[in-house]
mmCIF file of all heavy atoms in Angstrom:
data_model
loop_
_atom_site.group_PDB
_atom_site.id
_atom_site.type_symbol
_atom_site.label_atom_id
_atom_site.label_comp_id
_atom_site.label_asym_id
_atom_site.label_seq_id
_atom_site.Cartn_x
_atom_site.Cartn_y
_atom_site.Cartn_z
ATOM 1 N N VAL A 300 18.096 19.177 19.853
ATOM 2 C CA VAL A 300 16.686 18.935 20.289
ATOM 3 C C VAL A 300 16.340 17.501 20.352
ATOM 4 O O VAL A 300 16.926 16.631 19.614
ATOM 5 C CB VAL A 300 15.739 19.742 19.330
ATOM 6 C CG1 VAL A 300 15.866 19.191 17.904
ATOM 7 C CG2 VAL A 300 14.314 19.665 19.813
ATOM 8 N N ASN A 301 15.400 17.166 21.210
ATOM 9 C CA ASN A 301 14.926 15.768 21.359
ATOM 10 C C ASN A 301 13.893 15.481 20.235
ATOM 11 O O ASN A 301 12.822 16.114 20.209
ATOM 12 C CB ASN A 301 14.261 15.614 22.725
ATOM 13 C CG ASN A 301 13.885 14.181 22.994
ATOM 14 O OD1 ASN A 301 13.942 13.326 22.157
ATOM 15 N ND2 ASN A 301 13.449 13.921 24.246
ATOM 16 N N PRO A 302 14.155 14.537 19.351
ATOM 17 C CA PRO A 302 13.195 14.284 18.266
ATOM 18 C C PRO A 302 12.095 13.276 18.660
ATOM 19 O O PRO A 302 11.223 12.969 17.815
ATOM 20 C CB PRO A 302 14.101 13.667 17.178
ATOM 21 C CG PRO A 302 15.155 12.924 17.945
ATOM 22 C CD PRO A 302 15.363 13.711 19.218
ATOM 23 N N THR A 303 12.142 12.803 19.910
ATOM 24 C CA THR A 303 11.251 11.697 20.280
ATOM 25 C C THR A 303 9.772 12.025 20.158
ATOM 26 O O THR A 303 8.969 11.219 19.689
ATOM 27 C CB THR A 303 11.529 11.205 21.716
ATOM 28 O OG1 THR A 303 12.935 11.023 21.837
ATOM 29 C CG2 THR A 303 10.831 9.935 22.035
ATOM 30 N N ALA A 304 9.384 13.261 20.578
ATOM 31 C CA ALA A 304 7.933 13.621 20.522
ATOM 32 C C ALA A 304 7.452 13.539 19.038
ATOM 33 O O ALA A 304 6.321 13.124 18.820
ATOM 34 C CB ALA A 304 7.745 15.000 21.083
ATOM 35 N N CYS A 305 8.264 13.952 18.122
ATOM 36 C CA CYS A 305 7.857 13.942 16.723
ATOM 37 C C CYS A 305 7.843 12.492 16.210
ATOM 38 O O CYS A 305 6.914 12.105 15.479
ATOM 39 C CB CYS A 305 8.792 14.814 15.861
ATOM 40 S SG CYS A 305 8.086 15.191 14.290
ATOM 41 N N ILE A 306 8.786 11.699 16.635
ATOM 42 C CA ILE A 306 8.850 10.312 16.253
ATOM 43 C C ILE A 306 7.648 9.577 16.803
ATOM 44 O O ILE A 306 6.990 8.742 16.109
ATOM 45 C CB ILE A 306 10.190 9.638 16.699
ATOM 46 C CG1 ILE A 306 11.354 10.272 15.861
ATOM 47 C CG2 ILE A 306 10.164 8.130 16.601
ATOM 48 C CD1 ILE A 306 12.733 9.910 16.360
ATOM 49 N N LEU A 307 7.293 9.886 18.049
ATOM 50 C CA LEU A 307 6.072 9.253 18.602
ATOM 51 C C LEU A 307 4.748 9.770 17.981
ATOM 52 O O LEU A 307 3.775 9.069 17.946
ATOM 53 C CB LEU A 307 6.045 9.486 20.194
ATOM 54 C CG LEU A 307 7.112 8.688 20.932
ATOM 55 C CD1 LEU A 307 7.081 9.104 22.418
ATOM 56 C CD2 LEU A 307 6.900 7.151 20.810
ATOM 57 N N SER A 308 4.839 11.005 17.440
ATOM 58 C CA SER A 308 3.673 11.524 16.704
ATOM 59 C C SER A 308 3.498 10.694 15.419
ATOM 60 O O SER A 308 2.371 10.402 14.996
ATOM 61 C CB SER A 308 3.875 13.000 16.348
ATOM 62 O OG SER A 308 3.992 13.763 17.536
ATOM 63 N N ALA A 309 4.623 10.343 14.798
ATOM 64 C CA ALA A 309 4.578 9.490 13.591
ATOM 65 C C ALA A 309 3.967 8.134 13.976
ATOM 66 O O ALA A 309 3.187 7.579 13.241
ATOM 67 C CB ALA A 309 5.930 9.333 13.026
ATOM 68 N N ALA A 310 4.272 7.658 15.198
ATOM 69 C CA ALA A 310 3.655 6.365 15.601
ATOM 70 C C ALA A 310 2.182 6.538 15.754
ATOM 71 O O ALA A 310 1.413 5.642 15.366
ATOM 72 C CB ALA A 310 4.315 5.925 16.940
ATOM 73 N N MET A 311 1.750 7.675 16.326
ATOM 74 C CA MET A 311 0.271 7.929 16.422
ATOM 75 C C MET A 311 -0.368 7.965 15.061
ATOM 76 O O MET A 311 -1.500 7.503 14.856
ATOM 77 C CB MET A 311 0.007 9.205 17.183
ATOM 78 C CG MET A 311 0.249 9.165 18.675
ATOM 79 S SD MET A 311 -0.293 10.662 19.543
ATOM 80 C CE MET A 311 -1.922 10.189 20.161
ATOM 81 N N MET A 312 0.356 8.534 14.073
ATOM 82 C CA MET A 312 -0.147 8.549 12.678
ATOM 83 C C MET A 312 -0.420 7.123 12.191
ATOM 84 O O MET A 312 -1.461 6.843 11.618
ATOM 85 C CB MET A 312 0.872 9.270 11.799
ATOM 86 C CG MET A 312 0.590 9.178 10.354
ATOM 87 S SD MET A 312 1.935 9.834 9.346
ATOM 88 C CE MET A 312 1.853 11.552 9.692
ATOM 89 N N LEU A 313 0.578 6.264 12.409
ATOM 90 C CA LEU A 313 0.408 4.899 11.958
ATOM 91 C C LEU A 313 -0.744 4.259 12.659
ATOM 92 O O LEU A 313 -1.582 3.546 12.010
ATOM 93 C CB LEU A 313 1.721 4.104 12.255
ATOM 94 C CG LEU A 313 2.985 4.585 11.598
ATOM 95 C CD1 LEU A 313 4.206 3.693 11.951
ATOM 96 C CD2 LEU A 313 2.834 4.648 10.093
ATOM 97 N N ARG A 314 -0.889 4.458 13.936
ATOM 98 C CA ARG A 314 -1.961 3.817 14.697
ATOM 99 C C ARG A 314 -3.349 4.357 14.332
ATOM 100 O O ARG A 314 -4.274 3.560 14.001
ATOM 101 C CB ARG A 314 -1.726 4.089 16.207
ATOM 102 C CG ARG A 314 -2.609 3.235 17.127
ATOM 103 C CD ARG A 314 -2.314 3.543 18.573
ATOM 104 N NE ARG A 314 -0.982 3.259 19.012
ATOM 105 C CZ ARG A 314 -0.446 2.080 19.227
ATOM 106 N NH1 ARG A 314 -1.212 1.007 19.066
ATOM 107 N NH2 ARG A 314 0.813 1.893 19.608
ATOM 108 N N TYR A 315 -3.459 5.706 14.276
ATOM 109 C CA TYR A 315 -4.817 6.265 14.119
ATOM 110 C C TYR A 315 -5.243 6.502 12.685
ATOM 111 O O TYR A 315 -6.400 6.400 12.345
ATOM 112 C CB TYR A 315 -4.970 7.597 14.922
ATOM 113 C CG TYR A 315 -4.936 7.387 16.411
ATOM 114 C CD1 TYR A 315 -3.859 7.788 17.176
ATOM 115 C CD2 TYR A 315 -5.987 6.746 17.068
ATOM 116 C CE1 TYR A 315 -3.871 7.592 18.573
ATOM 117 C CE2 TYR A 315 -6.039 6.596 18.402
ATOM 118 C CZ TYR A 315 -4.935 6.997 19.160
ATOM 119 O OH TYR A 315 -4.927 6.783 20.532
ATOM 120 N N SER A 316 -4.255 6.839 11.807
ATOM 121 C CA SER A 316 -4.689 7.126 10.438
ATOM 122 C C SER A 316 -4.547 5.915 9.512
ATOM 123 O O SER A 316 -5.285 5.763 8.574
ATOM 124 C CB SER A 316 -3.897 8.295 9.852
ATOM 125 O OG SER A 316 -4.315 9.496 10.398
ATOM 126 N N PHE A 317 -3.539 5.082 9.789
ATOM 127 C CA PHE A 317 -3.309 3.962 8.875
ATOM 128 C C PHE A 317 -3.638 2.598 9.458
ATOM 129 O O PHE A 317 -3.415 1.569 8.800
ATOM 130 C CB PHE A 317 -1.776 3.979 8.424
ATOM 131 C CG PHE A 317 -1.327 5.281 7.759
ATOM 132 C CD1 PHE A 317 0.024 5.614 7.748
ATOM 133 C CD2 PHE A 317 -2.274 6.177 7.261
ATOM 134 C CE1 PHE A 317 0.461 6.817 7.133
ATOM 135 C CE2 PHE A 317 -1.804 7.361 6.653
ATOM 136 C CZ PHE A 317 -0.459 7.667 6.601
ATOM 137 N N GLY A 318 -4.160 2.587 10.665
ATOM 138 C CA GLY A 318 -4.527 1.318 11.284
ATOM 139 C C GLY A 318 -3.363 0.389 11.457
ATOM 140 O O GLY A 318 -3.551 -0.877 11.370
ATOM 141 N N MET A 319 -2.168 0.873 11.670
ATOM 142 C CA MET A 319 -0.988 0.000 11.800
ATOM 143 C C MET A 319 -0.536 -0.098 13.263
ATOM 144 O O MET A 319 0.447 0.506 13.649
ATOM 145 C CB MET A 319 0.215 0.603 10.969
ATOM 146 C CG MET A 319 -0.090 0.694 9.509
ATOM 147 S SD MET A 319 1.356 1.470 8.674
ATOM 148 C CE MET A 319 0.738 1.593 6.992
ATOM 149 N N ALA A 320 -1.256 -0.899 14.041
ATOM 150 C CA ALA A 320 -0.993 -1.009 15.464
ATOM 151 C C ALA A 320 0.372 -1.592 15.694
ATOM 152 O O ALA A 320 1.149 -1.124 16.537
ATOM 153 C CB ALA A 320 -2.075 -1.812 16.121
ATOM 154 N N GLU A 321 0.701 -2.659 14.942
ATOM 155 C CA GLU A 321 1.984 -3.363 15.147
ATOM 156 C C GLU A 321 3.174 -2.436 14.853
ATOM 157 O O GLU A 321 4.164 -2.366 15.617
ATOM 158 C CB GLU A 321 2.044 -4.577 14.261
ATOM 159 C CG GLU A 321 3.136 -5.563 14.609
ATOM 160 C CD GLU A 321 3.227 -6.673 13.592
ATOM 161 O OE1 GLU A 321 2.213 -6.990 12.909
ATOM 162 O OE2 GLU A 321 4.323 -7.259 13.452
ATOM 163 N N GLU A 322 3.020 -1.659 13.756
ATOM 164 C CA GLU A 322 4.127 -0.767 13.390
ATOM 165 C C GLU A 322 4.249 0.375 14.426
ATOM 166 O O GLU A 322 5.382 0.750 14.753
ATOM 167 C CB GLU A 322 3.798 -0.135 12.019
ATOM 168 C CG GLU A 322 3.880 -1.142 10.857
ATOM 169 C CD GLU A 322 2.628 -1.940 10.630
ATOM 170 O OE1 GLU A 322 1.843 -2.115 11.592
ATOM 171 O OE2 GLU A 322 2.462 -2.447 9.506
ATOM 172 N N ALA A 323 3.087 0.846 14.941
ATOM 173 C CA ALA A 323 3.188 1.883 15.942
ATOM 174 C C ALA A 323 3.852 1.332 17.239
ATOM 175 O O ALA A 323 4.691 1.994 17.835
ATOM 176 C CB ALA A 323 1.775 2.414 16.257
ATOM 177 N N ASP A 324 3.470 0.124 17.595
ATOM 178 C CA ASP A 324 4.079 -0.519 18.739
ATOM 179 C C ASP A 324 5.585 -0.597 18.559
ATOM 180 O O ASP A 324 6.347 -0.425 19.479
ATOM 181 C CB ASP A 324 3.538 -1.915 18.955
ATOM 182 C CG ASP A 324 2.115 -1.913 19.490
ATOM 183 O OD1 ASP A 324 1.665 -0.868 19.984
ATOM 184 O OD2 ASP A 324 1.480 -3.005 19.439
ATOM 185 N N ALA A 325 6.000 -0.903 17.353
ATOM 186 C CA ALA A 325 7.424 -1.090 17.079
ATOM 187 C C ALA A 325 8.166 0.217 17.373
ATOM 188 O O ALA A 325 9.276 0.161 17.916
ATOM 189 C CB ALA A 325 7.688 -1.553 15.646
ATOM 190 N N ILE A 326 7.598 1.297 16.998
ATOM 191 C CA ILE A 326 8.309 2.607 17.257
ATOM 192 C C ILE A 326 8.270 2.856 18.795
ATOM 193 O O ILE A 326 9.346 3.258 19.346
ATOM 194 C CB ILE A 326 7.575 3.763 16.522
ATOM 195 C CG1 ILE A 326 7.666 3.582 15.012
ATOM 196 C CG2 ILE A 326 8.179 5.128 16.940
ATOM 197 C CD1 ILE A 326 7.029 4.703 14.196
ATOM 198 N N GLU A 327 7.174 2.677 19.428
ATOM 199 C CA GLU A 327 7.071 2.941 20.859
ATOM 200 C C GLU A 327 8.063 2.037 21.684
ATOM 201 O O GLU A 327 8.691 2.491 22.609
ATOM 202 C CB GLU A 327 5.656 2.824 21.351
ATOM 203 C CG GLU A 327 4.810 3.969 20.827
ATOM 204 C CD GLU A 327 3.285 3.801 20.902
ATOM 205 O OE1 GLU A 327 2.862 2.824 21.527
ATOM 206 O OE2 GLU A 327 2.575 4.628 20.335
ATOM 207 N N ASN A 328 8.127 0.796 21.226
ATOM 208 C CA ASN A 328 9.058 -0.143 21.884
ATOM 209 C C ASN A 328 10.494 0.275 21.698
ATOM 210 O O ASN A 328 11.362 0.195 22.571
ATOM 211 C CB ASN A 328 8.898 -1.566 21.377
ATOM 212 C CG ASN A 328 7.545 -2.152 21.835
ATOM 213 O OD1 ASN A 328 6.973 -1.644 22.843
ATOM 214 N ND2 ASN A 328 7.065 -3.173 21.134
ATOM 215 N N ALA A 329 10.796 0.762 20.483
ATOM 216 C CA ALA A 329 12.138 1.236 20.154
ATOM 217 C C ALA A 329 12.533 2.389 21.048
ATOM 218 O O ALA A 329 13.664 2.473 21.557
ATOM 219 C CB ALA A 329 12.270 1.605 18.667
ATOM 220 N N VAL A 330 11.593 3.292 21.294
ATOM 221 C CA VAL A 330 11.861 4.446 22.172
ATOM 222 C C VAL A 330 12.152 3.951 23.554
ATOM 223 O O VAL A 330 13.167 4.368 24.201
ATOM 224 C CB VAL A 330 10.652 5.434 22.179
ATOM 225 C CG1 VAL A 330 10.802 6.462 23.274
ATOM 226 C CG2 VAL A 330 10.569 6.141 20.828
ATOM 227 N N ASN A 331 11.370 3.007 24.020
ATOM 228 C CA ASN A 331 11.604 2.431 25.396
ATOM 229 C C ASN A 331 12.981 1.781 25.497
ATOM 230 O O ASN A 331 13.682 1.900 26.510
ATOM 231 C CB ASN A 331 10.514 1.500 25.787
ATOM 232 C CG ASN A 331 9.329 2.252 26.373
ATOM 233 O OD1 ASN A 331 9.487 3.072 27.254
ATOM 234 N ND2 ASN A 331 8.110 1.957 25.873
ATOM 235 N N LYS A 332 13.376 1.027 24.467
ATOM 236 C CA LYS A 332 14.682 0.298 24.484
ATOM 237 C C LYS A 332 15.810 1.336 24.581
ATOM 238 O O LYS A 332 16.771 1.144 25.287
ATOM 239 C CB LYS A 332 14.793 -0.569 23.276
ATOM 240 C CG LYS A 332 14.082 -1.871 23.371
ATOM 241 C CD LYS A 332 14.436 -2.781 22.231
ATOM 242 C CE LYS A 332 13.327 -3.789 21.988
ATOM 243 N NZ LYS A 332 13.162 -4.149 20.583
ATOM 244 N N VAL A 333 15.667 2.404 23.793
ATOM 245 C CA VAL A 333 16.699 3.425 23.795
ATOM 246 C C VAL A 333 16.867 4.068 25.181
ATOM 247 O O VAL A 333 17.993 4.262 25.646
ATOM 248 C CB VAL A 333 16.378 4.496 22.706
ATOM 249 C CG1 VAL A 333 17.149 5.755 22.934
ATOM 250 C CG2 VAL A 333 16.673 3.893 21.315
ATOM 251 N N LEU A 334 15.742 4.294 25.799
ATOM 252 C CA LEU A 334 15.750 4.862 27.178
ATOM 253 C C LEU A 334 16.369 3.856 28.123
ATOM 254 O O LEU A 334 17.212 4.247 28.972
ATOM 255 C CB LEU A 334 14.360 5.228 27.659
ATOM 256 C CG LEU A 334 13.681 6.408 26.939
ATOM 257 C CD1 LEU A 334 12.234 6.562 27.346
ATOM 258 C CD2 LEU A 334 14.463 7.728 27.068
ATOM 259 N N ASP A 335 16.012 2.593 27.962
ATOM 260 C CA ASP A 335 16.576 1.511 28.817
ATOM 261 C C ASP A 335 18.086 1.470 28.750
ATOM 262 O O ASP A 335 18.784 1.142 29.680
ATOM 263 C CB ASP A 335 16.079 0.137 28.345
ATOM 264 C CG ASP A 335 14.774 -0.209 29.001
ATOM 265 O OD1 ASP A 335 14.426 0.434 29.986
ATOM 266 O OD2 ASP A 335 14.145 -1.157 28.532
ATOM 267 N N LYS A 336 18.580 1.787 27.584
ATOM 268 C CA LYS A 336 20.034 1.761 27.351
ATOM 269 C C LYS A 336 20.733 2.991 27.913
ATOM 270 O O LYS A 336 21.925 3.125 27.764
ATOM 271 C CB LYS A 336 20.346 1.684 25.838
ATOM 272 C CG LYS A 336 20.067 0.304 25.262
ATOM 273 C CD LYS A 336 20.531 0.309 23.805
ATOM 274 C CE LYS A 336 20.503 -1.120 23.272
ATOM 275 N NZ LYS A 336 20.652 -1.090 21.780
ATOM 276 N N GLY A 337 19.960 3.899 28.480
ATOM 277 C CA GLY A 337 20.552 5.061 29.123
ATOM 278 C C GLY A 337 20.879 6.156 28.075
ATOM 279 O O GLY A 337 21.666 7.045 28.334
ATOM 280 N N LEU A 338 20.241 6.052 26.919
ATOM 281 C CA LEU A 338 20.495 7.142 25.931
ATOM 282 C C LEU A 338 19.482 8.243 26.116
ATOM 283 O O LEU A 338 18.293 8.005 26.304
ATOM 284 C CB LEU A 338 20.379 6.530 24.521
ATOM 285 C CG LEU A 338 21.331 5.348 24.257
ATOM 286 C CD1 LEU A 338 21.115 4.775 22.860
ATOM 287 C CD2 LEU A 338 22.761 5.792 24.403
ATOM 288 N N ARG A 339 19.976 9.472 26.102
ATOM 289 C CA ARG A 339 19.115 10.618 26.385
ATOM 290 C C ARG A 339 19.509 11.748 25.475
ATOM 291 O O ARG A 339 20.555 11.725 24.824
ATOM 292 C CB ARG A 339 19.395 11.121 27.825
ATOM 293 C CG ARG A 339 19.087 10.138 28.946
ATOM 294 C CD ARG A 339 17.615 10.001 29.226
ATOM 295 N NE ARG A 339 17.370 9.137 30.368
ATOM 296 C CZ ARG A 339 17.308 7.783 30.346
ATOM 297 N NH1 ARG A 339 17.429 7.137 29.221
ATOM 298 N NH2 ARG A 339 17.084 7.110 31.460
ATOM 299 N N THR A 340 18.667 12.790 25.480
ATOM 300 C CA THR A 340 19.035 14.086 24.851
ATOM 301 C C THR A 340 19.156 15.128 25.944
ATOM 302 O O THR A 340 18.841 14.792 27.087
ATOM 303 C CB THR A 340 17.938 14.514 23.848
ATOM 304 O OG1 THR A 340 16.673 14.180 24.364
ATOM 305 C CG2 THR A 340 18.130 13.847 22.497
ATOM 306 N N ALA A 341 19.647 16.264 25.614
ATOM 307 C CA ALA A 341 20.000 17.263 26.619
ATOM 308 C C ALA A 341 18.829 17.635 27.546
ATOM 309 O O ALA A 341 19.002 17.837 28.767
ATOM 310 C CB ALA A 341 20.513 18.547 25.970
ATOM 311 N N ASP A 342 17.630 17.579 27.017
ATOM 312 C CA ASP A 342 16.459 17.997 27.814
ATOM 313 C C ASP A 342 16.096 17.055 28.943
ATOM 314 O O ASP A 342 15.530 17.463 29.975
ATOM 315 C CB ASP A 342 15.195 18.131 26.904
ATOM 316 C CG ASP A 342 14.963 16.834 26.132
ATOM 317 O OD1 ASP A 342 15.894 16.345 25.477
ATOM 318 O OD2 ASP A 342 13.835 16.252 26.217
ATOM 319 N N ASN A 343 16.471 15.767 28.822
ATOM 320 C CA ASN A 343 16.163 14.870 29.928
ATOM 321 C C ASN A 343 17.370 14.027 30.381
ATOM 322 O O ASN A 343 17.254 12.937 30.898
ATOM 323 C CB ASN A 343 14.969 13.957 29.581
ATOM 324 C CG ASN A 343 15.199 13.175 28.294
ATOM 325 O OD1 ASN A 343 16.329 12.876 27.944
ATOM 326 N ND2 ASN A 343 14.117 12.882 27.569
ATOM 327 N N MET A 344 18.531 14.647 30.197
ATOM 328 C CA MET A 344 19.770 14.006 30.579
ATOM 329 C C MET A 344 19.850 13.816 32.070
ATOM 330 O O MET A 344 19.476 14.691 32.834
ATOM 331 C CB MET A 344 20.939 14.932 30.077
ATOM 332 C CG MET A 344 22.329 14.409 30.268
ATOM 333 S SD MET A 344 22.562 12.813 29.508
ATOM 334 C CE MET A 344 24.132 12.365 30.216
ATOM 335 N N SER A 345 20.328 12.675 32.521
ATOM 336 C CA SER A 345 20.652 12.500 33.949
ATOM 337 C C SER A 345 21.905 11.697 34.148
ATOM 338 O O SER A 345 22.387 11.096 33.193
ATOM 339 C CB SER A 345 19.450 11.875 34.704
ATOM 340 O OG SER A 345 19.252 10.563 34.285
ATOM 341 N N GLU A 346 22.356 11.699 35.371
ATOM 342 C CA GLU A 346 23.691 11.153 35.691
ATOM 343 C C GLU A 346 23.814 9.707 35.224
ATOM 344 O O GLU A 346 22.895 8.903 35.352
ATOM 345 C CB GLU A 346 23.867 11.168 37.178
ATOM 346 C CG GLU A 346 25.217 11.663 37.607
ATOM 347 C CD GLU A 346 25.326 11.662 39.121
ATOM 348 O OE1 GLU A 346 24.710 12.589 39.743
ATOM 349 O OE2 GLU A 346 26.019 10.790 39.660
ATOM 350 N N GLY A 347 24.939 9.343 34.654
ATOM 351 C CA GLY A 347 25.195 7.971 34.238
ATOM 352 C C GLY A 347 24.632 7.662 32.874
ATOM 353 O O GLY A 347 24.835 6.564 32.352
ATOM 354 N N CYS A 348 23.919 8.607 32.294
ATOM 355 C CA CYS A 348 23.399 8.358 30.915
ATOM 356 C C CYS A 348 24.270 8.958 29.889
ATOM 357 O O CYS A 348 25.204 9.743 30.152
ATOM 358 C CB CYS A 348 21.975 8.973 30.791
ATOM 359 S SG CYS A 348 20.791 8.166 31.847
ATOM 360 N N THR A 349 24.005 8.632 28.591
ATOM 361 C CA THR A 349 24.757 9.173 27.501
ATOM 362 C C THR A 349 23.921 10.181 26.785
ATOM 363 O O THR A 349 22.782 9.944 26.386
ATOM 364 C CB THR A 349 25.158 8.068 26.518
ATOM 365 O OG1 THR A 349 25.758 6.994 27.267
ATOM 366 C CG2 THR A 349 26.101 8.517 25.432
#
Side-chain angles (χ1 to χ4, degrees):
V300 63
N301 186 353
T303 310
C305 196
I306 290 171
L307 290 173
S308 300
M311 288 187 96
M312 170 188 290
L313 299 181
R314 191 180 300 285
Y315 291 110
S316 285
F317 303 159
M319 299 178 185
E321 193 186 336
E322 290 84 337
D324 287 346
I326 296 181
E327 289 164 8
N328 292 337
V330 167
N331 275 312
K332 281 190 205 145
V333 162
L334 293 173
D335 272 346
K336 286 185 170 167
L338 303 177
R339 301 282 187 274
T340 37
D342 55 306
N343 55 29
M344 183 57 190
S345 66
E346 226 181 286
C348 293
T349 308

